Amino acid sequence: MSPFLRIRVVFDNVQYSKQLNTAWGFSCIIEGMSKVILFDTGADGNILLGNMRKIGFDPQKVDAVFLSHVHGDHIGGLQAFLQQNPKVVVYLPASFPASVKESVTALGGEFREVAAPQKVFDHVYTTGELGSWIIEQSLIIQTPKGLVIVTGCAHPGGVQIVSRVKQWLKEEVYVLMGGFHLKGESPSELRRIGAELKALGVKRVAPSHCTGEEARELFRQLWGPDFIESGVGAVIEIQ
């Protein structure tokens, strides 16, 4: 049976496959929906496109680019990607600077501003802009097993993101993945966050990027067999 959803991490500072290059940042390819999505673009377009080539993925297959927040390690590869495939719609937070929006159209792409939670297309949603200091949106995908939430850095807080999504869509969260922004947090804070995510019913976790190794190890212990090893080259499939 072919997977309902396949997510391939193509940019990450956490290494999963030694065949791919690592660098600080995050990007993943999401397939199985009505459109192929590139979530974030990492920090460097050459590394992003190089990793795509190594896994045999054609950038022309991407229909939509989803940008979580304005930091360079998440949008740095955008220009190089658009030079390869400008025929995409770029979903970005409305608060992005005009210069980023103008660069999308200058390269032949189309952008759509996101402010409020909304449906993007069938089975795919955005949280809309969350946070007060660093504004960020996360991507939500409906699957037969529950919701998959993809975060760039989770600057607004993983617990807050999951809580908002559950309140809005009234569905359980099957996988929370991406950057969790927990590097440098105290052990007690990490335990609190882990316990709250468990209490919210998050079934599986796949943290990488800015999560930090201490947090990843704690989550590995808390989730046991439901912890998904992630990093550049990881493939997450949901049947």
Side-chain angles (χ1 to χ4, degrees):
M1 184 172 67
S2 62
F4 179 86
L5 178 70
R6 178 167 65 172
I7 301 176
R8 293 189 274 181
V9 180
V10 287
F11 201 109
D12 207 313
N13 44 283
V14 176
Q15 189 163 52
Y16 180 88
S17 168
K18 292 182 179 178
Q19 278 66 53
L20 301 189
N21 291 326
T22 58
W24 187 262
F26 185 74
S27 178
C28 63
I29 299 162
I30 302 169
E31 300 168 282
M33 304 294 98
S34 59
K35 298 181 187 297
V36 177
I37 304 167
L38 179 65
F39 178 97
D40 282 346
T41 63
D44 184 293
N46 290 328
I47 293 174
L48 175 70
L49 295 170
N51 284 342
M52 285 183 176
R53 283 193 298 271
K54 288 177 181 179
I55 66 170
F57 180 81
D58 182 357
Q60 297 289 333
K61 291 183 178 178
V62 173
D63 301 298
V65 176
F66 188 95
L67 300 178
S68 62
H69 62 298
V70 77
H71 286 174
D73 54 332
H74 295 262
I75 68 168
L78 180 62
Q79 180 173 345
F81 175 81
L82 289 174
Q83 288 170 343
Q84 292 291 313
N85 177 10
K87 297 178 181 178
V88 293
V89 177
V90 179
Y91 293 85
L92 43 74
S95 57
F96 263 36
S99 59
V100 177
K101 299 169 187 174
E102 289 164 3
S103 70
V104 172
T105 53
L107 289 165
E110 176 188 345
F111 70 85
R112 292 187 188 162
E113 296 179 319
V114 174
Q118 59 190 267
K119 185 176 184 177
V120 180
F121 36 84
D122 286 348
H123 305 294
V124 179
Y125 300 81
T126 168
T127 61
E129 293 183 312
L130 297 177
S132 53
W133 176 46
I134 298 170
I135 305 299
E136 185 170 343
Q137 63 171 336
S138 297
L139 190 68
I140 311 157
I141 307 153
Q142 288 176 320
T143 81
K145 292 187 175 178
L147 301 175
V148 174
I149 303 175
V150 186
T151 64
C153 275
H155 285 292
V159 171
Q160 290 82 351
I161 292 168
V162 170
S163 298
R164 289 284 293 272
V165 169
K166 289 189 67 175
Q167 288 168 9
W168 177 38
L169 294 177
K170 312 296 184 191
E171 295 182 41
E172 293 303 310
V173 176
Y174 182 61
V175 176
L176 176 65
M177 68 166 290
F180 292 4
H181 199 64
L182 298 175
K183 190 175 176 65
E185 292 286 356
S186 68
S188 60
E189 181 67 1
L190 295 178
R191 286 192 295 270
R192 181 191 69 77
I193 292 167
E196 290 191 20
L197 288 173
K198 289 287 268 185
L200 284 166
V202 176
K203 174 66 175 172
R204 308 189 75 189
V205 291
S208 59
H209 178 39
C210 57
T211 305
E213 189 49 46
E214 189 174 358
R216 292 179 72 233
E217 181 55 37
L218 174 65
F219 283 22
R220 194 179 282 115
Q221 294 170 13
L222 286 173
W223 269 268
D226 288 322
F227 180 91
I228 302 170
E229 295 289 348
S230 190
V232 69
V235 180
I236 298 170
E237 294 185 340
I238 297 173
Q239 303 287 353

